[in-house]
Amino acid sequence: MLKKGDYVEIKITILKPDERAENLPQDTKLVPYEGKVRGYLTFDGEIGKEVEIETPIGRRVKGILLGLAKEYIHNFGEPIRELIDIGKKVKEKYLKE
């Protein structure tokens, strides 16, 4: 049981299979388009049950409770030297004052 005010992650259905675009591959069209949203529980809830959350920007969203929000584990990979150099050159050329 998670408590009101816990920072959690829920699963929402964005599009049902019959609402998805016709030009998608058949196996993709057969499943719902789902997403995850994080926010604060507005009331006590159990994992796997429908709950309501309030996101950090104040939006209220209902969905299936997945659990406490875990740490983000993604990153943007290694720095790309060419992009770093281009950014520096653009600043030098266009932002001189």
Side-chain angles (χ1 to χ4, degrees), residues 10 16-17 20 23-24 34 44 73 85 90 96-97:
I10 63 170
K16 297 175 187 169
R20 300 197 67 174
N23 60 345
L24 291 172
E34 298 176 330
D44 293 352
I73 55 173
D85 293 346
V90 168
K96 286 183 180 178
E97 293 208 21

Side-chain angles (χ1 to χ4, degrees), residues 3-65:
K3 301 291 184 191
K4 177 182 177 181
D6 284 343
Y7 193 64
V8 299
E9 186 171 75
I10 63 170
K11 178 176 73 175
I12 62 170
T13 299
I14 299 166
L15 293 173
K16 297 175 187 169
D18 62 335
E19 297 171 325
R20 300 197 67 174
E22 289 298 318
N23 60 345
L24 291 172
Q26 187 63 29
D27 57 341
T28 303
K29 282 194 298 188
L30 296 176
V31 295
Y33 180 56
E34 298 176 330
K36 295 178 180 176
V37 181
R38 292 179 174 197
Y40 302 96
L41 273 175
T42 59
F43 53 86
D44 293 352
E46 292 185 31
I47 293 174
K49 302 289 184 183
E50 184 174 87
V51 296
E52 181 183 75
I53 63 169
E54 182 173 333
T55 68
I57 62 170
R59 194 170 63 122
R60 291 191 174 244
V61 182
K62 289 183 179 176
I64 302 301
L65 180 59

Side-chain angles (χ1 to χ4, degrees), residues 76-90:
F76 297 101
E78 295 290 322
I80 301 171
R81 179 62 192 250
E82 292 81 3
L83 294 178
I84 296 168
D85 293 346
I86 289 171
K88 185 176 178 182
K89 288 177 183 174
V90 168

